Amino acid sequence: MKLLTHNMLTSKCMKGVSIGYPLAIKALDIRTVEVDFNPEFVAKMIPKIDWTVLHGAAESIGQTDLPKEVVDNYENNEEFLKKVHHVLLEVDVIDGELICPETGRKFPINNGIPNMLLNEDEV
Amino acid sequence: MIEEKSHLPNRSNMSKSWTKYLLWFAQEHVDFRFAEINSLMSLFNIEMRFVRKPKDEPYWIVEFPSEVEVKLLASRSVSLRNCIELWAHAPNVQKLHEELKLYPKSLMQPYIQADKSFKIEVDTFCKHFSQKEKVDKLEAFSYLPVDGPVDLKTPDVTFQYIEYYGIIPHCPPEQPYEVFFGRWVASGLRQLIKKLSLKTRKFIGNTSMDPQLSLLMANQAKVTDGSLVLDPFVGSGSLLVAATQFGGYVWGTDIDYLMLHGRTRPSRIHQKTRDRDESVRANMKQYNMEHRYMDVLVNDFATPFWREDFRFDAVITDPPYGIREATERVGTKKEGYEVKAEHLPTHIPAKIEYGISNIYKDLLRFSARHLRVGGRLVCWFPVFREDYTENVLPHHPCLELVSNSEQTLSKVTSRRLLTFEKTREPTEDELDEYPVDIMDFREKYFVIREETRKERRMKEAKIREDDRLRNLNKQS
């Protein structure tokens, strides 16, 4: 699971959960895979991202290179975009858990695939 | 404002003369041609005019403001075979030559110079000719004032001569219905269909979509570089494979844990077990598209978990119809049921029927929320042909149906490829409940099958009985 995906996930659909965001990450295995850098795509994603959540999630799994805030004029700042690219698209949580901030419900991640399936008594 | 406008190149005003082109299509999925070309014209903001209203022939005669548009169209179309700048066309060979002789030399000039190598290709659609006959046809063009050398392998210019003998195989007419001559400009993406063939793909499922239809869907969704694409019933990811080819960044979700982890029974007849590394990601890697693979997640579509303000550019999907793939969601019919704590670590959630009408209702509601305005939902919808009218299709006040093409599956059933475009953000009411009345395809499907099975059994019994009587007669 990539941190870009994590930024878009909530546990709001669970019974009794009101916001369910952000989910905490417990990472047991992290893999870094280098992929092609597309600056336009990264720049396009930045306004869609909850930056505080991304920053927090990155720190929680040991990615400390990301600035606390989005820099001005980021579209033309290649160094900044490369850092964002790395955190969003190259860091992959292979094994671990996502944890609902309100109920503590754990969603396992195996082989990089989060299992967001609820049990029949939770829907 | 007016000042600004004059700086913008307006293609239709800039070029006074439009040029005539022949668009030659693959004679396959004919109903999908219009939908694909329309989507691409809208994606690239291209204008095109019909010179003649197309019927069921594999070609269109059209006009474009310039060659740029033709090349753009061909760079993305999977239904197009070839685009040809049309120099002459006529109802018979003799007239074609007469017309070609009248084609202005000034327009030929750039392509017939001494430094331009060339070749002429002869195509006869729906009728076979020997090499010798083809050479004879070719030699009839010896009057063309071409000065360059012939180069059969890598010519600078390719001319194409086409004789069209209709679309009914095995009994072509003596003379062609129509003949064409022109300069080849661009080819469509027929090669890509082969490259993405399911036969050579790492990870496939029982209902993987064939590459041609997958690519058509990505085109109809107007996927382009940087598009965010979701398939909420992703399976083995064939639709996402196509979307990445056009620059889409892709997510997929599916309720089937074993499928996403590549642990279901293999779909290839000679394969005993699946490879350890079969997955949607492995498919992306196979086609060098791993950088556009975002994630797949195990999830029940009835309980979505995306952040409410997250917007996709396209949702492309083939939901289960309950025939070859089950329609299921998490749930139980037992009231007040709770999973016991000691069972939690290994508990597999119970599933209940997720009827087709609910699937489509959820799919349209989800798209109304999670698509950007202008974004598209492209999905298949199964119908009984006798029951079909536009009224049986799913609908939503914020989604406009922009195309609807049919693929026949059997005498009685077909599936329709629907393309919706989001026109505005929905109000809260429109996200809650809106009435949809969709017939349950699955229920009727099995009722009809039941009947035909009974009929078939009776027919077979009758044949057996007749045989028995005949044998008895012979013996006596």
Side-chain angles (χ1 to χ4, degrees), chain A residues 5 8 12 48 92 116 121, chain B residues 281 295 298 307-308 339:
Chain A
T5 304
M8 307 304 167
K12 206 187 154 198
K48 291 176 174 264
D92 218 334
M116 306 303 289
D121 56 350
Chain B
R281 182 200 286 264
D295 271 307
V298 184
R307 224 174 67 193
E308 258 170 38
V339 182

Side-chain angles (χ1 to χ4, degrees), chain B residues 318-363:
Chain B
D318 183 23
Y321 320 140
I323 310 296
R324 298 173 68 197
E325 301 287 354
T327 44
E328 289 177 329
R329 49 172 292 189
V330 171
T332 175
K333 285 178 181 156
K334 297 176 202 159
E335 264 182 58
Y337 175 81
E338 264 180 55
V339 182
K340 290 201 182 80
E342 67 264 33
H343 294 151
L344 267 180
T346 53
H347 179 74
I348 295 169
K351 290 174 187 130
I352 54 172
E353 171 70 16
Y354 186 17
I356 285 190
S357 73
N358 282 325
I359 290 184
Y360 282 93
K361 200 157 134 185
D362 286 349
L363 180 60

